[in-house]
Amino acid sequence: MFKVSIIGGSAFSPRLEELSKDFLACHPNAILIVPTQRYASWWERKLLCDLNITSLTGKYVYDFTNFVRALLEKENISCNLIEVWKQELIVKSILLSEEGKLKLNQYQLQSPENLASHIVEIIRNLKQGGIEPDEFFYSIPSEKRGLREEVIHWVYRRYQEIMYQNSWYDVPGMFWTAEEVCKNKKPGLLSNVNAIFLEGFDDFTYSEMRLLKSFDGRVESLRIYLNYDPSPEKQDLYKLSYRALKNLEKIFSTEVRCLDSFTSENRIQFVAQNLYWRELPKRCSFDKGEIKIRFYSNRDTEIRETAREIKKLIIEKNISPFSIALIFRKLESVQKIIERVFEEFGIPYEIGFRRKFEDTIIGRFLWNWFTHLLDDKVFSILQIFHDPLWKLPPEVKIKISLILRSFGINLNHPIDVLEERLQKLPLDKEMLLGEEEDEEHIEETENIKKEDVDKFKVELEKWLNWRKIFTSTQSAKEFVEVTEQFVKEIWSYFSSGEIVLDKEKYGENKEGVGAFLKEIKVIPKFFADSNLGLETLIEIVLDMLRGIVVGTKINRGVFIGELPTIRNLKFD
């Protein structure tokens, strides 16, 4: 008989201890499912410690998405999970197709492709609720259906068709497929599993709950540990978890057991329980638990002093880097400073999320290239020429501003004016445009040699030639072919060894280029019947640069992230 237990408890309750004891009693015939990969890694380390062994034989801990992926792959169902940016690309292709234009013309929508991210979010919400396209549409009374409902219904239906034709999955789609597998038979992944545990969740989507219900008859017991505090004064904080508890109670017809929270035993626990509370807490009376508040004049000083203190903890107090976390409100604004300072101090660290391709050396270059491709100002050239991936001779690079100034060119001049003056004006200080009477200006000009200008002309011609090739493309297919050729040339120079990088940064650039060259091939396929302009194609490429992620998540040392990334984790 399928037995379901639902236990609610906060981080200050015996929830983890009870779960650990129950799981080990069922091991190795049990699987633990948690919300995130990082929390799964934490539990794997905890189990090794509790079992007093050095390695686990087999996989026993998963985050929910990877559990579903593993379940399907065990059934020989290949899970090609596509990212959100690619889902938006699919929706854009639907909106910009000939069928889409005919359907949307009557509504006189301006730039309908800009609705892609909004529609993807709606589709995701519908799929999480287990709602199919027709079910969504016909659940709305006909007199209340309007433009919005008709467009969403049509796009959602086409989106599902494209996903099915290509064997692609979004996350809710994987859960739907896993549910069907479990309804039809006992999956291979669960062949030796008697108990499934879930830990650390606040809520479940309807699609997730349906999958949990499909475990009935496939395992003997399902035990769900939710992050919930039953204290009456904290019900508003745990409103989401309370709703999940009630839904689970209804679906599985079982009682919920709640665990009381501990009282604070040290300063850190006291602050954790009282800091974000509507009323002023009583004064802390604990001596144990060290909390320090420091002020710094700027970010650089703050990070440098923090790194110095972390280094001291590692060396003098023998605290493992893996037991230290450094948390910021917004990591993006300080990430480069952190990387520079921590590498300078020799502190092993791990950034709490994978980098976007646009943040790598090649990604930044491509971002600048496509962002300024249609600009006709001199400024757009300098953005590229000063990049290390543009092979401009160093002796010319440092004189670019002088060369431009010598010919009376400023950053806002059109590029064709620059071309014209470089062709016609001799390198003669009496013929210079601009401030001839400025002695400093004339003295600077004397440092410019004719060969410097000639080299600059060569690079300018190269830039103009590439731009001409791009702007002359007549179709998405041609644009992709030119982009592939351009990226391969950039990669050839990057991988030649002239740019010295550590193994990790080289690897993430290689991974990013490989993913980009693979993904860009879908553009002609998606937009086969769409007459896309160059601006739209450039926007699609920029979306790819933003969407592709690189780098493998490896626990290397001090964890650096934002507050949500340390949810459920513990540090010294």
Side-chain angles (χ1 to χ4, degrees), residues 22-215:
D22 289 348
F23 183 82
L24 292 175
C26 297
H27 180 75
N29 304 113
I31 281 178
L32 173 61
I33 301 172
V34 296
T36 65
Q37 291 183 37
R38 190 170 303 283
Y39 197 31
S41 298
W42 184 87
W43 266 101
E44 284 178 341
R45 293 194 298 272
K46 177 175 171 54
L47 291 175
L48 289 175
C49 182
D50 291 345
L51 292 168
N52 195 25
I53 57 178
T54 56
S55 63
L56 289 169
T57 304
K59 181 80 172 173
Y60 300 98
V61 186
Y62 298 86
D63 67 273
F64 214 162
T65 300
N66 277 323
F67 166 77
V68 173
R69 188 200 297 268
L71 186 148
L72 294 177
E73 289 178 348
K74 193 76 172 177
E75 303 303 313
N76 295 318
I77 300 173
S78 179
C79 289
N80 191 354
L81 184 64
I82 62 172
E83 299 88 346
V84 173
W85 70 266
K86 199 167 181 179
Q87 296 168 28
E88 292 179 3
L89 189 63
I90 293 171
V91 171
K92 276 187 180 181
S93 72
I94 295 168
L95 295 170
L96 292 172
S97 66
E98 289 302 316
E99 182 185 1
K101 290 175 182 176
L102 288 173
K103 188 169 287 290
L104 297 175
N105 271 346
Q106 58 183 307
Y107 303 121
Q108 298 181 335
L109 294 177
Q110 297 294 322
S111 303
E113 68 274 12
N114 293 337
L115 296 172
S117 60
H118 176 61
I119 293 176
V120 165
E121 186 176 352
I122 292 172
I123 291 173
R124 181 166 56 250
N125 289 336
L126 290 171
K127 294 189 75 170
Q128 286 176 343
I131 301 171
E132 295 274 10
D134 289 346
E135 184 182 355
F136 154 72
F137 189 67
Y138 293 110
S139 65
I140 304 170
S142 57
E143 65 274 10
K144 292 186 178 180
R145 294 178 207 147
L147 162 66
R148 182 172 180 268
E149 288 73 27
E150 290 180 12
V151 170
I152 290 171
H153 173 240
W154 171 71
V155 174
Y156 184 11
R157 187 161 43 80
R158 286 288 298 120
Y159 172 88
Q160 289 290 82
E161 290 170 0
I162 292 172
M163 297 288 278
Y164 178 77
Q165 290 164 4
N166 292 278
S167 299
W168 289 335
Y169 289 89
D170 49 24
V171 172
M174 283 206 320
F175 278 80
W176 288 11
T177 306
E179 179 193 354
E180 287 302 311
V181 169
C182 291
K183 282 181 177 179
N184 293 327
K185 64 174 185 176
K186 182 166 184 171
L189 186 67
L190 304 181
S191 58
N192 296 314
V193 174
N194 297 326
I196 293 178
F197 294 78
L198 289 98
E199 148 59 19
F201 291 89
D202 295 308
D203 192 17
F204 295 98
T205 67
Y206 185 62
S207 293
E208 291 169 341
M209 287 190 181
R210 288 195 333 192
L211 176 59
L212 296 180
K213 193 168 178 61
S214 72
F215 293 152

Side-chain angles (χ1 to χ4, degrees), residues 362 365-366 391 466 470 480-496 513-514 516-518 520-521:
I362 294 180
F365 175 82
L366 293 176
K391 293 188 290 184
W466 269 116
F470 270 101
V480 168
E481 289 172 350
V482 170
T483 301
E484 287 177 324
Q485 182 184 351
F486 182 72
V487 172
K488 286 176 181 177
E489 182 171 315
I490 297 301
W491 171 252
S492 177
Y493 172 61
F494 177 85
S495 59
S496 66
V513 168
F516 180 81
L517 291 175
K518 176 185 175 184
I520 200 172
K521 293 181 186 298

Side-chain angles (χ1 to χ4, degrees), residues 343-454:
E343 286 170 10
E344 177 187 331
F345 276 74
I347 300 173
Y349 68 93
E350 173 198 4
I351 299 295
F353 52 80
R354 296 176 69 186
R355 287 158 63 85
K356 295 177 181 177
F357 183 36
E358 67 170 327
D359 294 326
T360 65
I361 293 173
I362 294 180
R364 280 194 297 270
F365 175 82
L366 293 176
W367 181 272
N368 279 331
W369 173 263
F370 286 106
T371 300
H372 297 289
L373 183 60
L374 299 181
D375 291 350
D376 67 343
K377 303 294 184 184
V378 172
F379 172 78
S380 61
I381 297 177
L382 297 191
Q383 290 294 304
I384 300 299
F385 281 10
H386 282 294
D387 194 288
L389 286 180
W390 192 268
K391 293 188 290 184
L392 191 67
E395 66 274 14
V396 178
K397 186 175 290 188
I398 62 175
K399 294 180 181 179
I400 289 178
S401 297
L402 292 179
I403 292 172
L404 294 176
R405 189 179 176 195
S406 298
F407 289 102
I409 298 293
N410 63 46
L411 299 183
N412 290 318
H413 268 110
I415 293 171
D416 56 0
V417 173
L418 172 60
E419 287 185 86
E420 181 183 347
R421 291 188 180 176
L422 284 175
Q423 293 296 330
K424 293 182 178 179
L425 284 176
L427 192 64
D428 188 322
K429 64 183 180 184
E430 282 79 16
M431 295 293 293
L432 295 175
L433 298 178
E435 307 168 73
E436 291 88 343
E437 72 284 355
D438 186 340
E439 292 184 7
E440 182 182 351
H441 174 61
I442 294 174
E443 185 178 343
E444 287 175 345
T445 306
E446 290 174 343
N447 293 324
I448 302 173
K449 301 175 182 177
K450 183 178 184 302
E451 51 264 36
D452 294 333
V453 178
D454 289 340

Side-chain angles (χ1 to χ4, degrees), residues 270-271 273-275 277-284:
F270 181 85
V271 170
Q273 288 184 310
N274 292 279
L275 181 61
W277 192 234
R278 68 172 73 85
E279 298 172 1
L280 289 174
K282 297 177 182 178
R283 182 177 293 276
C284 178

